[in-house]
Coordinates of all heavy atoms in Angstrom, one line a residue:
P250 N 9.4 -18.8 -27.8 CA 10.3 -19.8 -27.1 C 11.7 -19.5 -27.2 O 12.5 -19.9 -26.3 CB 9.9 -21.1 -27.9 CG 9.3 -20.6 -29.2 CD 8.6 -19.3 -28.8
E251 N 12.2 -18.7 -28.1 CA 13.6 -18.3 -28.3 C 14.1 -17.5 -27.1 O 15.4 -17.4 -27.0 CB 13.9 -17.7 -29.6 CG 13.1 -16.4 -29.8 CD 11.8 -16.5 -30.5 OE1 11.0 -17.4 -30.1 OE2 11.5 -15.7 -31.5
V252 N 13.2 -16.9 -26.3 CA 13.7 -16.1 -25.2 C 13.4 -16.7 -23.8 O 13.8 -16.1 -22.8 CB 13.1 -14.6 -25.2 CG1 13.4 -14.0 -26.6 CG2 11.6 -14.7 -24.9
L253 N 12.8 -17.9 -23.8 CA 12.4 -18.5 -22.6 C 13.6 -19.0 -21.7 O 13.4 -19.3 -20.5 CB 11.4 -19.6 -22.8 CG 10.1 -19.2 -23.4 CD1 9.2 -20.4 -23.6 CD2 9.4 -18.2 -22.4
D254 N 14.8 -19.1 -22.3 CA 15.9 -19.5 -21.5 C 16.7 -18.3 -20.9 O 17.6 -18.4 -20.2 CB 16.9 -20.3 -22.4 CG 16.4 -21.6 -22.8 OD1 15.6 -22.2 -22.0 OD2 16.8 -22.2 -23.8
D255 N 16.2 -17.1 -21.2 CA 16.8 -15.9 -20.6 C 16.4 -15.8 -19.1 O 15.3 -16.0 -18.8 CB 16.2 -14.6 -21.4 CG 16.8 -13.4 -20.8 OD1 17.9 -13.0 -21.2 OD2 16.1 -12.7 -19.9
A256 N 17.4 -15.5 -18.3 CA 17.2 -15.6 -16.8 C 16.2 -14.5 -16.4 O 15.3 -14.8 -15.5 CB 18.5 -15.3 -16.1
N257 N 16.2 -13.3 -17.0 CA 15.2 -12.3 -16.7 C 13.8 -12.7 -17.0 O 12.8 -12.5 -16.3 CB 15.5 -11.0 -17.3 CG 16.8 -10.4 -16.8 OD1 17.1 -10.5 -15.6 ND2 17.5 -9.7 -17.6
V258 N 13.6 -13.4 -18.2 CA 12.3 -13.9 -18.6 C 11.8 -15.0 -17.6 O 10.7 -15.0 -17.2 CB 12.4 -14.4 -20.0 CG1 11.0 -15.1 -20.4 CG2 12.6 -13.2 -21.0
Q259 N 12.8 -15.9 -17.3 CA 12.4 -17.0 -16.4 C 12.0 -16.4 -15.0 O 11.0 -16.9 -14.4 CB 13.6 -17.9 -16.2 CG 13.9 -18.7 -17.4 CD 15.2 -19.5 -17.3 OE1 16.2 -19.0 -16.6 NE2 15.3 -20.6 -18.0
S260 N 12.7 -15.4 -14.5 CA 12.4 -14.8 -13.2 C 11.0 -14.2 -13.2 O 10.2 -14.4 -12.3 CB 13.5 -13.8 -12.9 OG 13.1 -13.1 -11.7
Q261 N 10.7 -13.4 -14.3 CA 9.4 -12.7 -14.3 C 8.3 -13.7 -14.5 O 7.2 -13.6 -13.8 CB 9.4 -11.7 -15.4 CG 8.1 -10.9 -15.5 CD 7.9 -10.1 -14.2 OE1 8.5 -9.0 -14.0 NE2 7.0 -10.6 -13.3
K262 N 8.5 -14.7 -15.3 CA 7.5 -15.7 -15.6 C 7.2 -16.5 -14.3 O 6.1 -16.9 -14.0 CB 7.9 -16.7 -16.7 CG 6.9 -17.7 -17.1 CD 7.3 -18.5 -18.2 CE 6.3 -19.6 -18.6 NZ 6.8 -20.5 -19.6
A263 N 8.3 -16.7 -13.5 CA 8.1 -17.4 -12.2 C 7.2 -16.6 -11.3 O 6.3 -17.2 -10.6 CB 9.5 -17.7 -11.6
R264 N 7.4 -15.3 -11.2 CA 6.6 -14.5 -10.3 C 5.2 -14.5 -10.7 O 4.3 -14.6 -9.8 CB 7.2 -13.1 -10.2 CG 8.5 -13.0 -9.4 CD 9.2 -11.7 -9.5 NE 10.2 -11.6 -8.5 CZ 11.4 -12.2 -8.5 NH1 11.6 -13.1 -9.5 NH2 12.3 -12.1 -7.5
W265 N 4.9 -14.4 -12.0 CA 3.5 -14.4 -12.4 C 2.9 -15.8 -12.2 O 1.8 -15.9 -11.8 CB 3.5 -14.0 -13.9 CG 3.7 -12.6 -14.1 CD1 3.6 -11.6 -13.3 CD2 4.2 -12.0 -15.4 NE1 3.9 -10.3 -13.8 CE2 4.3 -10.6 -15.1 CE3 4.5 -12.5 -16.6 CZ2 4.7 -9.7 -16.1 CZ3 5.0 -11.6 -17.6 CH2 5.1 -10.2 -17.3
S266 N 3.7 -16.8 -12.4 CA 3.2 -18.2 -12.2 C 2.8 -18.4 -10.7 O 1.7 -18.9 -10.4 CB 4.2 -19.2 -12.6 OG 4.5 -19.2 -14.0
G267 N 3.6 -17.9 -9.8 CA 3.3 -18.0 -8.4 C 2.1 -17.2 -8.0 O 1.2 -17.7 -7.2
L268 N 1.9 -16.1 -8.6 CA 0.7 -15.2 -8.3 C -0.6 -15.8 -8.8 O -1.6 -15.5 -8.3 CB 0.9 -13.8 -8.8 CG 2.0 -13.0 -8.1 CD1 2.3 -11.7 -8.8 CD2 1.6 -12.7 -6.7
V269 N -0.5 -16.6 -9.9 CA -1.7 -17.3 -10.4 C -1.9 -18.7 -9.8 O -2.8 -19.4 -10.2 CB -1.7 -17.3 -11.9 CG1 -1.7 -16.0 -12.5 CG2 -0.6 -18.2 -12.5
G270 N -1.1 -19.0 -8.8 CA -1.3 -20.3 -8.1 C -0.5 -21.4 -8.6 O -0.6 -22.5 -8.0
D271 N 0.4 -21.3 -9.5 CA 1.2 -22.4 -10.0 C 2.6 -22.3 -9.4 O 3.6 -21.9 -10.0 CB 1.4 -22.3 -11.5 CG 1.9 -23.6 -12.1 OD1 2.4 -24.4 -11.3 OD2 1.9 -23.8 -13.4
A272 N 2.7 -22.7 -8.1 CA 3.9 -22.5 -7.3 C 5.0 -23.5 -7.8 O 6.2 -23.1 -7.8 CB 3.6 -22.8 -5.8
E273 N 4.6 -24.7 -8.3 CA 5.6 -25.6 -8.7 C 6.3 -25.1 -10.0 O 7.5 -25.2 -10.1 CB 4.9 -27.0 -9.0 CG 5.8 -28.0 -9.6 CD 7.0 -28.3 -8.7 OE1 6.9 -28.2 -7.4 OE2 8.1 -28.6 -9.2
Q274 N 5.5 -24.5 -10.9 CA 6.1 -23.9 -12.1 C 7.1 -22.8 -11.7 O 8.1 -22.6 -12.3 CB 5.0 -23.5 -13.1 CG 5.5 -22.7 -14.3 CD 6.2 -23.6 -15.3 OE1 6.5 -24.8 -15.0 NE2 6.6 -23.0 -16.4
A275 N 6.7 -22.0 -10.7 CA 7.5 -20.9 -10.3 C 8.8 -21.4 -9.8 O 9.9 -20.9 -10.1 CB 6.7 -20.1 -9.2
R276 N 8.8 -22.5 -9.0 CA 10.0 -23.0 -8.4 C 10.9 -23.6 -9.6 O 12.2 -23.3 -9.5 CB 9.7 -24.2 -7.4 CG 9.1 -23.7 -6.1 CD 9.2 -24.7 -5.1 NE 8.4 -25.9 -5.4 CZ 7.1 -26.0 -5.1 NH1 6.4 -25.1 -4.5 NH2 6.4 -27.1 -5.4
V277 N 10.4 -24.2 -10.5 CA 11.2 -24.8 -11.6 C 11.9 -23.6 -12.4 O 13.1 -23.7 -12.7 CB 10.3 -25.6 -12.6 CG1 11.0 -25.9 -13.9 CG2 9.8 -26.9 -11.9
L278 N 11.1 -22.6 -12.6 CA 11.7 -21.5 -13.4 C 12.8 -20.7 -12.6 O 13.8 -20.3 -13.2 CB 10.6 -20.5 -13.8 CG 9.6 -21.0 -14.8 CD1 8.3 -20.1 -14.9 CD2 10.2 -21.0 -16.2
L279 N 12.6 -20.6 -11.3 CA 13.6 -19.9 -10.5 C 14.8 -20.7 -10.4 O 15.9 -20.2 -10.4 CB 13.0 -19.5 -9.1 CG 11.9 -18.4 -9.1 CD1 11.3 -18.3 -7.8 CD2 12.6 -17.1 -9.5
R280 N 14.7 -22.0 -10.3 CA 15.9 -22.9 -10.2 C 16.7 -22.7 -11.5 O 17.9 -22.7 -11.5 CB 15.5 -24.3 -10.0 CG 14.9 -24.6 -8.6 CD 14.6 -26.1 -8.5 NE 13.7 -26.3 -7.3 CZ 12.5 -26.9 -7.4 NH1 12.1 -27.4 -8.5 NH2 11.8 -27.1 -6.3
A281 N 16.0 -22.7 -12.7 CA 16.6 -22.5 -13.9 C 17.4 -21.2 -14.0 O 18.5 -21.1 -14.5 CB 15.6 -22.6 -15.1
A282 N 16.7 -20.1 -13.5 CA 17.3 -18.8 -13.6 C 18.6 -18.8 -12.7 O 19.6 -18.2 -13.1 CB 16.4 -17.7 -13.1
L283 N 18.5 -19.4 -11.5 CA 19.7 -19.5 -10.6 C 20.8 -20.3 -11.2 O 22.0 -20.1 -10.9 CB 19.3 -20.0 -9.3 CG 18.5 -19.0 -8.4 CD1 17.9 -19.7 -7.2 CD2 19.3 -17.8 -8.0
K284 N 20.5 -21.3 -12.0 CA 21.5 -22.2 -12.6 C 22.2 -21.3 -13.6 O 23.5 -21.5 -13.8 CB 20.8 -23.4 -13.3 CG 21.8 -24.4 -13.8 CD 21.1 -25.6 -14.4 CE 22.1 -26.6 -14.9 NZ 21.4 -27.8 -15.5
T285 N 21.5 -20.5 -14.3 CA 22.2 -19.6 -15.3 C 23.0 -18.5 -14.6 O 24.1 -18.2 -15.0 CB 21.1 -18.9 -16.2 OG1 20.3 -19.9 -16.8 CG2 21.8 -18.0 -17.2
D286 N 22.5 -18.0 -13.5 CA 23.2 -16.9 -12.8 C 23.0 -17.1 -11.3 O 22.0 -16.6 -10.8 CB 22.7 -15.5 -13.3 CG 23.4 -14.4 -12.6 OD1 24.4 -14.7 -11.8 OD2 23.1 -13.2 -12.8
P287 N 23.9 -17.7 -10.6 CA 23.8 -18.0 -9.2 C 23.7 -16.7 -8.3 O 23.3 -16.8 -7.1 CB 25.0 -18.8 -8.8 CG 25.5 -19.3 -10.1 CD 25.2 -18.3 -11.1
D288 N 24.1 -15.6 -8.9 CA 24.1 -14.3 -8.1 C 22.8 -13.5 -8.2 O 22.7 -12.4 -7.8 CB 25.2 -13.4 -8.6 CG 26.6 -14.0 -8.3 OD1 26.7 -14.7 -7.2 OD2 27.6 -13.7 -9.0
R289 N 21.7 -14.2 -8.7 CA 20.4 -13.5 -8.7 C 19.8 -13.7 -7.3 O 19.0 -14.6 -7.1 CB 19.5 -14.1 -9.8 CG 20.1 -13.9 -11.2 CD 19.2 -14.6 -12.3 NE 17.9 -13.9 -12.3 CZ 17.7 -12.9 -13.1 NH1 18.7 -12.4 -13.9 NH2 16.5 -12.3 -13.2
H290 N 20.2 -12.8 -6.4 CA 19.9 -13.0 -5.0 C 18.4 -12.8 -4.7 O 17.8 -13.5 -3.9 CB 20.7 -12.0 -4.1 CG 22.2 -12.2 -4.3 ND1 22.8 -13.4 -4.3 CD2 23.1 -11.3 -4.5 CE1 24.1 -13.3 -4.5 NE2 24.3 -12.0 -4.6
Q291 N 17.7 -11.9 -5.4 CA 16.3 -11.7 -5.2 C 15.5 -13.0 -5.6 O 14.6 -13.4 -4.9 CB 15.8 -10.5 -6.0 CG 14.3 -10.2 -5.8 CD 13.9 -9.9 -4.4 OE1 14.4 -8.8 -3.8 NE2 13.1 -10.7 -3.7
D292 N 16.0 -13.6 -6.7 CA 15.3 -14.8 -7.1 C 15.6 -15.9 -6.1 O 14.7 -16.8 -5.9 CB 15.8 -15.2 -8.5 CG 15.3 -14.3 -9.6 OD1 14.3 -13.7 -9.4 OD2 15.9 -14.3 -10.7
R293 N 16.7 -16.0 -5.5 CA 17.0 -17.0 -4.5 C 16.1 -16.8 -3.3 O 15.6 -17.8 -2.8 CB 18.5 -16.9 -4.2 CG 18.9 -18.1 -3.3 CD 20.4 -18.1 -3.0 NE 21.2 -18.3 -4.2 CZ 21.5 -19.4 -4.8 NH1 21.0 -20.6 -4.3 NH2 22.2 -19.5 -5.9
L294 N 15.9 -15.6 -2.9 CA 15.1 -15.4 -1.8 C 13.6 -15.8 -2.1 O 13.0 -16.4 -1.3 CB 15.1 -13.9 -1.4 CG 14.2 -13.4 -0.2 CD1 14.5 -14.2 1.0 CD2 14.2 -11.9 0.0
T295 N 13.2 -15.4 -3.3 CA 11.8 -15.8 -3.7 C 11.7 -17.3 -3.7 O 10.7 -17.9 -3.2 CB 11.5 -15.2 -5.0 OG1 11.6 -13.8 -5.0 CG2 10.0 -15.6 -5.5
L296 N 12.7 -18.0 -4.3 CA 12.6 -19.5 -4.3 C 12.6 -20.1 -2.9 O 11.9 -21.0 -2.6 CB 13.9 -20.0 -5.1 CG 14.0 -21.5 -5.2 CD1 12.7 -22.1 -5.8 CD2 15.2 -21.9 -6.0
A297 N 13.4 -19.5 -2.0 CA 13.4 -20.0 -0.6 C 12.0 -19.9 0.0 O 11.6 -20.8 0.7 CB 14.4 -19.2 0.2
L298 N 11.3 -18.8 -0.2 CA 10.0 -18.6 0.3 C 9.0 -19.6 -0.3 O 8.1 -20.2 0.4 CB 9.5 -17.2 0.1 CG 10.4 -16.1 0.8 CD1 9.8 -14.7 0.5 CD2 10.4 -16.3 2.3
L299 N 9.2 -19.9 -1.6 CA 8.3 -20.9 -2.2 C 8.6 -22.3 -1.7 O 7.7 -23.1 -1.5 CB 8.5 -20.8 -3.7 CG 7.9 -19.6 -4.5 CD1 8.3 -19.6 -5.9 CD2 6.4 -19.6 -4.4
E300 N 9.8 -22.6 -1.5 CA 10.2 -23.9 -0.9 C 9.6 -24.0 0.5 O 9.2 -25.1 0.9 CB 11.7 -24.0 -0.8 CG 12.4 -24.0 -2.2 CD 12.2 -25.2 -3.1 OE1 11.2 -25.9 -2.9 OE2 13.1 -25.4 -3.9
M301 N 9.6 -22.9 1.3 CA 9.0 -23.0 2.6 C 7.5 -23.3 2.5 O 6.9 -24.1 3.3 CB 9.2 -21.7 3.3 CG 10.6 -21.5 3.8 SD 10.9 -19.8 4.5 CE 9.8 -19.8 6.0
Q302 N 6.8 -22.6 1.6 CA 5.4 -22.9 1.4 C 5.1 -24.3 1.0 O 4.1 -24.9 1.4 CB 4.8 -21.9 0.3 CG 4.8 -20.5 0.7 CD 4.3 -19.5 -0.4 OE1 3.9 -20.0 -1.5 NE2 4.4 -18.2 -0.2
A303 N 6.0 -24.9 0.2 CA 5.8 -26.3 -0.2 C 6.3 -27.3 0.9 O 6.4 -28.5 0.6 CB 6.6 -26.5 -1.5
D304 N 6.7 -26.8 2.0 CA 7.2 -27.6 3.1 C 8.5 -28.3 2.8 O 8.8 -29.4 3.3 CB 6.1 -28.6 3.6 CG 6.3 -29.1 5.0 OD1 6.8 -28.2 5.8 OD2 6.0 -30.2 5.3
R305 N 9.3 -27.7 1.8 CA 10.6 -28.2 1.5 C 11.6 -27.4 2.3 O 12.3 -26.6 1.8 CB 10.8 -28.1 0.0 CG 9.8 -28.9 -0.9 CD 9.9 -28.5 -2.3 NE 11.2 -28.7 -2.9 CZ 11.6 -29.8 -3.6 NH1 10.7 -30.8 -3.7 NH2 12.8 -30.0 -4.0
L306 N 11.6 -27.7 3.6 CA 12.3 -26.8 4.5 C 13.8 -26.9 4.4 O 14.6 -25.9 4.5 CB 11.9 -27.2 6.0 CG 10.4 -27.1 6.3 CD1 10.2 -27.2 7.8 CD2 9.9 -25.7 5.8
E307 N 14.4 -28.1 4.0 CA 15.8 -28.2 3.9 C 16.3 -27.4 2.7 O 17.3 -26.7 2.8 CB 16.2 -29.7 3.7 CG 16.0 -30.5 5.0 CD 16.5 -31.9 4.8 OE1 17.1 -32.2 3.7 OE2 16.3 -32.7 5.7
D308 N 15.6 -27.5 1.6 CA 15.9 -26.7 0.4 C 15.8 -25.2 0.7 O 16.7 -24.4 0.3 CB 15.0 -27.0 -0.8 CG 15.3 -28.4 -1.3 OD1 16.4 -28.9 -1.1 OD2 14.4 -29.0 -2.0
A309 N 14.8 -24.8 1.4 CA 14.6 -23.4 1.8 C 15.8 -22.9 2.6 O 16.4 -21.9 2.4 CB 13.3 -23.2 2.5
E310 N 16.2 -23.7 3.6 CA 17.3 -23.4 4.5 C 18.6 -23.2 3.8 O 19.4 -22.3 4.0 CB 17.4 -24.4 5.6 CG 18.4 -24.0 6.7 CD 18.2 -24.8 8.0 OE1 17.4 -25.8 8.0 OE2 18.9 -24.5 9.0
M311 N 18.8 -24.1 2.8 CA 20.0 -24.0 2.0 C 20.1 -22.7 1.3 O 21.2 -22.0 1.3 CB 20.1 -25.2 1.0 CG 21.3 -25.1 0.0 SD 21.0 -26.2 -1.4 CE 19.7 -25.4 -2.3
H312 N 19.0 -22.3 0.6 CA 19.0 -21.0 -0.1 C 19.2 -19.8 0.9 O 20.0 -18.9 0.6 CB 17.8 -20.9 -0.9 CG 17.7 -21.8 -2.1 ND1 18.6 -21.8 -3.1 CD2 16.8 -22.8 -2.4 CE1 18.2 -22.7 -4.0 NE2 17.2 -23.3 -3.6
L313 N 18.5 -19.9 2.0 CA 18.6 -18.8 2.9 C 20.0 -18.6 3.5 O 20.5 -17.5 3.7 CB 17.6 -19.0 4.0 CG 16.1 -18.8 3.6 CD1 15.2 -19.2 4.7 CD2 15.8 -17.4 3.2
K314 N 20.7 -19.8 3.8 CA 22.0 -19.7 4.3 C 23.0 -19.2 3.3 O 24.0 -18.5 3.6 CB 22.5 -21.1 4.8 CG 21.8 -21.5 6.1 CD 22.3 -22.8 6.6 CE 21.7 -23.1 8.0 NZ 22.1 -24.4 8.5
T315 N 22.7 -19.5 2.0 CA 23.6 -18.9 0.9 C 23.5 -17.4 1.0 O 24.4 -16.6 0.8 CB 23.1 -19.4 -0.4 OG1 23.3 -20.8 -0.4 CG2 24.0 -18.8 -1.5
L316 N 22.3 -16.8 1.2 CA 22.0 -15.4 1.2 C 22.7 -14.7 2.4 O 22.8 -13.5 2.4 CB 20.5 -15.1 1.2 CG 19.8 -15.4 -0.1 CD1 18.3 -15.3 0.1 CD2 20.3 -14.6 -1.2
L317 N 23.1 -15.5 3.4 CA 23.8 -14.8 4.6 C 25.1 -14.2 4.2 O 25.6 -13.3 4.9 CB 24.0 -15.9 5.7 CG 22.8 -16.4 6.4 CD1 23.2 -17.5 7.4 CD2 22.1 -15.3 7.2
A318 N 25.6 -14.6 3.0 CA 26.9 -14.0 2.6 C 26.7 -12.7 1.8 O 27.6 -12.1 1.4 CB 27.6 -15.0 1.7
T319 N 25.4 -12.3 1.6 CA 25.1 -11.1 0.9 C 24.7 -10.0 1.8 O 23.8 -10.2 2.7 CB 24.0 -11.3 -0.2 OG1 22.8 -11.6 0.5 CG2 24.4 -12.5 -1.1
E320 N 25.2 -8.8 1.7 CA 24.9 -7.7 2.6 C 23.4 -7.3 2.5 O 22.7 -7.1 3.5 CB 25.8 -6.5 2.4 CG 25.5 -5.4 3.3 CD 26.4 -4.2 3.1 OE1 27.4 -4.3 2.3 OE2 26.3 -3.2 3.7
R321 N 23.0 -7.2 1.3 CA 21.6 -6.7 1.0 C 20.5 -7.6 1.6 O 19.5 -7.2 2.1 CB 21.4 -6.5 -0.5 CG 20.0 -5.9 -0.8 CD 19.8 -5.8 -2.3 NE 18.5 -5.4 -2.6 CZ 18.0 -5.4 -3.9 NH1 18.8 -5.7 -4.9 NH2 16.7 -5.1 -4.1
F322 N 20.8 -8.9 1.5 CA 19.7 -9.9 1.8 C 20.0 -10.7 3.1 O 19.2 -11.6 3.4 CB 19.5 -10.9 0.7 CG 18.9 -10.3 -0.6 CD1 19.8 -9.9 -1.6 CD2 17.6 -10.1 -0.7 CE1 19.3 -9.3 -2.8 CE2 17.1 -9.5 -1.9 CZ 17.9 -9.1 -2.9
R323 N 21.0 -10.3 3.8 CA 21.3 -11.0 5.1 C 20.2 -10.9 6.1 O 19.8 -11.9 6.7 CB 22.6 -10.4 5.7 CG 23.1 -11.2 6.9 CD 24.4 -10.7 7.4 NE 25.5 -10.8 6.4 CZ 26.1 -9.8 5.8 NH1 25.8 -8.5 6.2 NH2 27.0 -9.9 4.9

Side-chain angles (χ1 to χ4, degrees):
E251 59 268 47
V252 305
L253 292 179
D254 289 335
D255 179 84
N257 290 327
V258 173
Q259 291 171 331
S260 174
Q261 184 61 78
K262 186 178 176 183
R264 283 170 171 73
W265 288 337
S266 296
L268 290 169
V269 298
D271 193 348
E273 178 57 34
Q274 174 71 352
R276 289 196 296 273
V277 169
L278 289 164
L279 288 172
R280 290 183 197 123
L283 287 169
K284 187 175 181 180
T285 302
D286 181 3
D288 291 330
R289 298 178 67 88
H290 304 313
Q291 181 63 64
D292 287 343
R293 189 175 295 280
L294 177 61
T295 303
L296 178 57
L298 298 180
L299 288 171
E300 300 287 26
M301 287 174 65
Q302 291 177 6
D304 206 28
R305 299 168 60 95
L306 302 187
E307 290 185 5
D308 290 337
E310 188 165 6
M311 175 195 69
H312 289 299
L313 291 171
K314 286 183 174 179
T315 300
L316 290 172
L317 290 176
T319 67
E320 181 179 355
R321 180 182 173 190
F322 293 96
R323 186 178 298 119

